Amino acid sequence: MLGHEGSGVVEAVGEGVTHVSAGDKVLLSFSSCGKCRSCRHGHPAYCVDFLSLNFDGRRPDGTTPIGSTTGEAIGGRFFGQSSFATYCVAHARSVVPVEAADEDELAMLAPVGCGIQTGVGAVLHELDPGSGDTVAIFGAGAVGLSAVMGAALTPAAKIIAIDIVPSRLELARELGATHTINGKEEDTVTRVAEITGGRGLTHALESSGVPALLRQAVDSLAVGDGMAAVVGAPPVGTDGTFDVNFLLNGRTIRGVTEGDSDVFDFIPELVGLYRAGRLPFDKMVRLYDPDQINEAATDAAEGRVLKPVLRL
Ligand code: ZN
C-alpha cells in the first residue's frame, strides 16, 4: 500500500508511544530506527536502516500492519506510513504533531513531510548560503521550487531557477527566484556565468535527477568553495559525470536525502514558516476529493498542478 505525504488526526496510539495522543493533528514523514549513529546525532534521513524501514513494506520482524478481509498480509508502512488510505498504521518515528487551524489547513500541510522538507532542508541544512552568494536550483518541480523558497529565506543575493517549462519558471519567480533560465532556449552554463559575473555558483541544487543537469550544475560551480547538493533521484544504477580536474579546485558534490532533516524539529519549523506566510507552498498545492483522483493524476501529468493532494 502506497502513500507517502500524509496528514491526519491520531485515532489511537500503540504501547510506548508518548509524543502524540488521540486527537492530535499530525504530519507523516519517513521512518528511522532512532538508535543508530545517524539517528542519535540528529540525522535520521541517514539512518542505516532507511531503505528497509521505508520501502520493505514490512516491519523488521516480517509482519505487516494491514491485511485483506481474508487475512492475507498486505504490504504497509511505505515511507513509514502507507497513507493512501482513510486510516493508516504509521511508525511512531514517522508521526510529527503540528499546529493547524482546521482540517483544510492540515491537508494543505501534507507535502511538508517529504517534498517540501527535501527542498528547503537541502538549502538550509547543507548549502546554507550567506550574504552575497548565488544559489541555482536545477529543476523547478515541487522539490526544486521548495528549494527556491528555502533559498529565499537566506541572505543569498541571487537565486536562479532552471527548468524547461515556462509556467514553472514563472512560479519560481513568484516564490523568490531573482533569475530564471529556460534550459531549452538558453545554454545554462553560459547564462550562469553571465549572471554571476564569471565567478560561478557558490551553491547549486540538482533536483531533476537528470544526469545532464547534474553535469551543468557541477560545471557552473565557483572555484574554491562551490558546492552542489544532489537531491534528484534517477533510477538505481544511473551514472553522472564530471571533469575530475575541475573538481580539484575546492568544489564539492554532496548527496542529500530528505533535506537531512530531523523531522521532529524541522517539520514544525516549516509549518510555522508557512503559517507566518514565509513559505507559500500553497501556490503549488491543489486539493482534490477522492472522486477527482483521475483529474488529479492528469493535472499532475500535464503540468497543471505541481503537488496534488487527495483528501480521503
Ligand atoms: Zn537509525
Side-chain angles (χ1 to χ4, degrees):
M1 174 95 65
L2 298 174
H4 90 299
E5 287 178 337
S7 66
V9 177
V10 175
E11 191 76 15
V13 298
E15 207 179 303
V17 177
T18 54
H19 73 293
V20 285
S21 46
D24 285 353
K25 297 185 181 85
V26 294
L27 293 193
L28 302 178
S29 190
F30 63 86
S31 188
S32 57
C33 78
K35 298 178 190 122
C36 73
R37 191 167 163 269
S38 298
C39 284
R40 282 188 282 109
H41 288 87
H43 302 283
Y46 303 135
C47 176
V48 292
D49 291 323
F50 186 90
L51 290 177
S52 61
L53 287 173
N54 288 289
F55 302 114
D56 267 8
R58 290 176 182 273
R59 299 186 180 101
D61 67 2
T63 60
T64 77
I66 37 181
S68 71
T69 48
T70 55
E72 227 176 306
I74 294 174
R77 299 218 308 185
F78 177 78
F79 210 64
Q81 54 191 274
S82 286
S83 54
F84 186 22
T86 312
Y87 291 93
C88 72
V89 182
H91 187 259
R93 285 185 60 82
S94 292
V95 181
V96 183
V98 292
E99 301 269 335
D102 50 30
E103 294 205 358
D104 283 341
E105 189 176 42
L106 191 57
M108 187 60 77
L109 295 176
V112 172
C114 183
I116 289 162
Q117 76 172 343
T118 292
V120 182
V123 172
L124 298 187
H125 300 145
E126 291 295 348
L127 297 177
D128 194 20
S131 79
D133 286 343
T134 300
V135 188
I137 312 298
F138 290 74
V143 170
L145 289 170
S146 298
V148 168
M149 283 185 273
L153 296 169
T154 74
K158 291 173 184 167
I159 302 168
I160 308 169
I162 298 145
D163 204 281
I164 54 172
V165 181
S167 60
R168 290 180 172 198
L169 294 173
E170 209 174 292
L171 185 52
R173 279 195 181 267
E174 256 183 71
L175 296 174
T178 57
H179 299 73
T180 55
I181 300 174
N182 186 329
K184 224 184 202 169
E185 295 167 357
E186 302 171 279
D187 182 83
T188 298
V189 177
T190 306
R191 274 294 289 140
V192 167
E194 282 168 13
I195 293 166
T196 60
R199 187 179 170 219
L201 301 168
T202 51
H203 304 85
L205 183 137
E206 203 308 289
S207 72
S208 72
V210 178
L213 266 72
L214 173 59
R215 178 67 197 245
Q216 291 172 357
V218 174
D219 285 350
S220 301
L221 292 179
V223 68
D225 60 355
M227 185 193 206
V230 185
V231 305
V236 174
T238 303
D239 286 335
T241 66
F242 55 85
D243 180 330
V244 176
N245 287 296
F246 191 72
L247 206 66
L248 294 181
N249 300 332
R251 298 176 172 95
T252 313
I253 305 172
R254 179 164 170 95
V256 189
T257 295
E258 292 294 325
D260 189 14
S261 307
D262 188 340
V263 296
F264 295 103
D265 288 334
F266 196 47
I267 286 179
E269 191 181 322
L270 291 171
V271 170
L273 285 166
Y274 168 74
R275 301 191 83 204
R278 297 181 62 201
L279 199 68
F281 59 77
D282 52 313
K283 290 187 180 183
M284 55 184 195
V285 176
R286 193 181 299 168
L287 303 179
Y288 295 86
D289 290 327
D291 62 358
Q292 297 173 299
I293 186 167
N294 291 333
E295 193 185 327
T298 313
D299 285 352
E302 293 178 3
R304 278 189 293 275
V305 63
L306 279 154
K307 190 55 92 174
V309 172
L310 271 186
R311 296 194 64 172
L312 297 167

